[in-house]
Amino acid sequence: PQIALVGQTPQNEQASVLGVFLERGELINGYPSYTKAGDDGAMLWHAGECWTVGVAANLGQDRGRVSLRDGCLRPEASTVTWRVYDGAAWVVAPELRCLAGRPSTSRRIWDPDAGRWLDAGRLMVFEDGD
């Protein structure tokens, strides 16, 4: 399974760590953990009272650059507001959210802009609660 951490952050702080995260087979502190697609150095895990996005070297620790203070089992299930670290303090990021990935139910998807069918096997689809 995959999740996507998306949205605007205040002054684009920590925007580089946002993106698609792929679930790892290893639980960290009793919770699922994730690796950023295309960047094994960025990970998402739960530590203490927070979901944390940070560098792989800090895996399992309460240290990171993006944070969600929630004890929920999966970050996409939370309704709490994410925060980003601006180098001096944690700043609320109300537009940031985590979306759950789901398998595509179609084998092909029509792209009206390109005027052709797309192979759904190459696409990642995410649930947006809105």
Side-chain angles (χ1 to χ4, degrees):
Q2 69 256 356
I3 57 174
L5 189 56
V6 298
Q8 282 292 111
T9 60
Q11 287 77 47
N12 271 346
E13 292 290 344
Q14 309 301 346
S16 65
V17 300
L18 305 182
V20 174
F21 288 80
L22 307 174
E23 187 171 347
R24 304 167 65 231
E26 181 182 359
L27 295 179
I28 300 297
N29 300 320
Y31 290 81
S33 61
Y34 304 82
T35 301
K36 185 176 178 189
D39 181 1
D40 291 342
M43 300 184 77
L44 187 148
W45 64 87
H46 196 277
E49 300 175 353
C50 298
W51 282 98
T52 301
V53 177
V55 297
N58 293 333
L59 180 63
Q61 300 176 44
D62 192 8
R63 301 178 58 179
R65 301 170 10 187
V66 178
S67 173
L68 174 71
R69 293 187 81 64
D70 195 331
C72 61
L73 182 58
R74 297 191 169 273
E76 67 272 21
S78 180
T79 58
V80 175
T81 303
W82 287 81
R83 303 174 308 152
V84 297
Y85 191 68
D86 70 1
W90 287 100
V91 179
V92 174
E95 295 182 38
L96 197 57
R97 61 188 178 187
C98 188
L99 306 176
R102 64 178 176 84
S104 174
T105 56
S106 300
R107 292 180 182 233
R108 298 187 314 161
I109 298 173
W110 179 253
D111 181 348
D113 294 330
R116 64 186 175 95
W117 288 100
L118 302 175
D119 178 6
R122 299 183 337 211
L123 301 177
M124 291 183 188
V125 180
F126 294 89
E127 290 290 333
D128 187 352
D130 295 338

